[in-house]
Amino acid sequence: MSEKSKSVDTNQKDLIEVKNLVKYFPVRAGLLQRVTAWVQAVDDVSFIVRQGETLGLVGESGCGKTTVGRTMLRLVEPTSGAVAFDGKDILQLRGQALKEIRRDMQIIFQDPYASLDPRLPIGEAVMEGLNIHKIGTPKERFEIMIETLKKVGLEDYHARRYPHEFSGGQRQRIGIARALALRPKFIVCDEPVSALDVSIQSQVLNILNDLQAEFGLTYLFIAHNLSVVEHISNRVAVMYLGKIVELTRREELFRNPLHPYTQALMSAIPVADPHLKRERVILKGDVPSPLNPPKGCRFHPRCPIAVEQCSHEEPVFREVGADHWVACWMVK
């Protein structure tokens, strides 16, 4: 992987502000399909994304990472909360106003093959957004499509081919090109390299870095691989069971993780030197169900340092250091 500085100016403008975002999914049962329970996928999540940065969002499978990203783009409608993009609450927009702001907010899906229409040549797939928003003439749209394919390492003759004719890495490049075609300000990267070989992962990450530098893009990078997150992120948010438990600068998080769940994740990162041993933190039990999350701190049934307060009082997500936020009673 190419090395590049991922420092970010804390005085940068806040491009996106997420406030108290909640998304519950209904569970229906019986002949009349009545709602019998709610899956609390995202529960009172708040954070900001600064212009030009990459915010990594990490956590175990099922913790709500993807739901956060999709709800921010209104691919999934939230239960409550607010998402301000460039000062506009996108959850209140309708019709043409919503269509216009969606030009600036795109997504790269985890499975590039499932997100592409197998009957559509990839050139037409990349131009689809340009056609919907009626950008330029047909000739100009074609030229933008060819230029965008070349930006991600593909050639103009690839435009006539179909998704099944490409490898997994090439299909993910197509997904990046499709998100880039409208020249957005913000892209949700939903585990874009998790299904790829390690050698291909580095190529795709370097493409994302290069495009960010060239176009001034802002990323929400969703992943469960901490090594990938360390390479590409400026700041990192850690999620557990629908809530953010820690958020800070990348360097600070990997140097000084404060939340016990973050510490457990860090202890699982492989060490390159076989002579070095990292003390592994083994969490007891399984992840609780989001249908019936624990009272108080949601992590307390598995936490090695939990006290009585943790079991009945939910910790406040507060700033404990310079731009270092934690939700834990035991962190002072």
Side-chain angles (χ1 to χ4, degrees), residues 222-293:
I222 299 168
H224 56 261
N225 187 329
L226 286 167
S227 299
V228 170
V229 169
E230 183 179 16
H231 172 72
I232 199 169
S233 300
N234 302 109
R235 294 185 303 137
V236 182
V238 181
M239 278 195 76
Y240 182 80
L241 206 61
K243 288 185 175 289
I244 292 180
V245 297
E246 187 164 3
L247 191 159
T248 187
R249 301 180 307 279
R250 176 202 60 186
E251 298 87 351
E252 175 69 10
L253 188 81
F254 283 84
R255 181 184 64 83
N256 183 33
L258 297 179
H259 196 281
Y261 176 63
T262 309
Q263 293 169 358
L265 291 180
M266 294 297 179
S267 76
I269 300 175
V271 181
D273 188 341
H275 300 292
L276 293 178
K277 298 291 184 181
R278 175 178 278 143
E279 185 177 350
R280 182 73 193 274
V281 178
I282 306 296
L283 298 177
K284 57 186 178 182
D286 297 321
V287 181
S289 170
L291 279 168
N292 186 27

Side-chain angles (χ1 to χ4, degrees), residues 200-221:
I200 306 301
Q201 285 184 11
S202 62
Q203 295 175 19
V204 172
L205 291 174
N206 289 335
I207 288 172
L208 290 172
N209 274 335
D210 293 342
L211 292 175
Q212 184 176 44
E214 182 174 355
F215 295 104
L217 297 171
T218 303
Y219 294 143
L220 175 69
F221 194 91

Side-chain angles (χ1 to χ4, degrees), residues 15-18 49 68-75 83-86 88-91 93 97-108 133 178-180 182-188 217-218 220:
L15 181 65
I16 298 177
E17 184 175 4
V18 177
V49 186
V68 167
R70 295 190 178 206
T71 306
M72 289 171 67
L73 301 183
R74 283 189 64 182
L75 296 178
V83 179
F85 177 81
D86 234 353
K88 299 178 183 177
D89 187 354
I90 68 166
L91 304 184
L93 298 180
L98 178 59
K99 180 180 178 181
E100 288 176 0
I101 207 165
R102 275 184 163 157
R103 282 184 57 180
D104 292 328
M105 307 176 74
Q106 295 292 308
I107 184 169
I108 302 167
H133 291 277
R178 190 171 57 170
L180 183 67
L182 289 169
R183 300 297 185 263
K185 297 178 182 177
F186 173 65
I187 298 179
V188 173
L217 297 171
T218 303
L220 175 69

Side-chain angles (χ1 to χ4, degrees), residues 113 116-122 161-166 171:
Y113 189 67
L116 294 170
D117 187 338
R119 302 165 297 178
L120 206 64
I122 65 108
R161 295 185 179 177
Y162 290 83
H164 73 271
E165 299 180 75
F166 295 91
R171 283 197 288 265

